[in-house]
Amino acid sequence: MKPLSGVTVLELGMVMQVPLAGQMLGDYGADVIKIERPPRGDIMRDLDEVGTAREEMSCYYAAVGCNKRTLCLDLKQDEGREVLGKLIDNADVLIHNFRPGAMERLGFGYDEVSKRNPRLVYAVGYAFGAKGPLSGMPGQDMLAQSLSGFAMNGVEPGGRPRLTATPIVDYATAASLSQGVLAALLGRERSGKGDLVTTSLFDVAIAMQLLETSSRALYDYRTDWVQYAMIFKTSDGWITVLTLFRDNPLQLMCMAFGEDDMSADPLLANSTLQRKHADIVQEKFGPVMERYTTDECVKRLSKTDILCAPVMDLDDTLKHPQTLQNDILREVDIPGHGSVQLVGNPVKLASQGKEMPRPPAALGEFSSEILSDFGYSENEIRDFQERGVIT
């Protein structure tokens, strides 16, 4: 049995943060009910311009929509809000990422909901927080990167900020939110009471910089991990070489390729000087690397205990033997595409085994089934359909 079997999660969220958290909880066996508003539903359903143009499933929605049932519910109607209230009364977890005040205006803020269902775990993923000068600002991963200092990490003073293309803050926030939900569920087993779980893109982006924050707080210096990395061109690609944990990495690099010791130059005598004069190291050692393939460079450098790795394209990474060995990809049945490989949960429980996940559902695909599960009759469900309460 999966650890969250029997746990009902109501997901009212859009884009990546909360939908991914919902999928993570679904991976552990929770019955995740994704509640969307007509007619559009989650923005992720049409954010993929290619899929939308083809009138097929959005690839982005497919990435975060597994292991859920969908309910399309019009919360502008009194009956829609009544349905949501009944679901909340019988649910274990509610997660959302609406702006502060939105759920309160609907009558489903934490204070109201916790009175009607004291055992409910109420989890919110904010953009910047529940209160404060940024609380009402629309949130997004790259905005959190910008406001948190993340985009300036590794950038020289006066240099151009760098945004990370992969929504790393969204992912980390989803993982943090699901972690909080799991902790609250464990706490409920002991106390019998639910809890309010909150986090935000902004907080998580700052938390990810805990080492950088510590260096400023303790010794007033700016940690820059990028300075420890050098990227060299090879005859067929690129390789990253780290100077971390080695007193004289350049000397070891020269040994690996049978070159004269370039660290004999006083400007390059140790790792600190080599980082300071990285441009000279690149100028002197770059031509050496370009004579060899990436694989050969990795083999030679590894023999001298230099930390290095090839720079790979995602397509190559997904085919790599280590990726296959780790079983991070899972087969998902996508309508119109058959079985495709998508990224699964990186955390695995040995007791769960491996199975094909529930594929991403169409908007409102399980509306009737869900309402039936919560005690509504066929006549009531048909009436809701006719009046557009559910779709």
Side-chain angles (χ1 to χ4, degrees), residues 242-250 252 270-272 274-275 304-307:
L242 298 187
T243 63
L244 280 165
F245 317 126
R246 305 293 179 264
D247 295 330
N248 191 343
L250 182 56
L252 296 175
N270 55 51
S271 59
T272 301
Q274 289 161 24
R275 288 195 301 274
T304 58
D305 207 24
I306 285 285
L307 300 176

Side-chain angles (χ1 to χ4, degrees), residues 161-182:
R162 289 195 296 252
L163 294 173
T164 301
T166 298
I168 187 171
V169 180
D170 260 329
Y171 191 98
T173 307
S176 299
L177 192 61
S178 62
Q179 179 187 47
V181 168
L182 294 174

Side-chain angles (χ1 to χ4, degrees), residues 86-142:
K86 186 169 184 177
L87 267 61
I88 287 174
D89 291 344
N90 294 276
D92 298 286
V93 180
L94 183 150
I95 56 176
H96 77 80
N97 61 344
F98 296 140
R99 293 190 205 180
M103 286 291 278
E104 285 74 11
R105 288 191 291 273
L106 288 171
F108 298 109
Y110 173 70
D111 291 339
E112 296 87 353
V113 166
S114 61
K115 292 175 184 177
R116 61 190 300 168
N117 184 356
R119 287 179 54 82
L120 185 77
V121 173
Y122 190 104
V124 190
Y126 292 111
F128 300 103
K131 299 177 181 179
L134 300 179
S135 60
M137 179 177 171
Q140 199 273 342
D141 180 283
M142 289 179 283

Side-chain angles (χ1 to χ4, degrees), residues 12-34:
L12 290 90
M14 294 188 292
V15 194
M16 182 171 177
Q17 178 199 57
V18 160
L20 178 57
Q23 179 172 268
M24 289 174 170
L25 296 172
D27 291 341
Y28 298 136
D31 177 19
V32 180
I33 298 172
K34 182 176 180 64

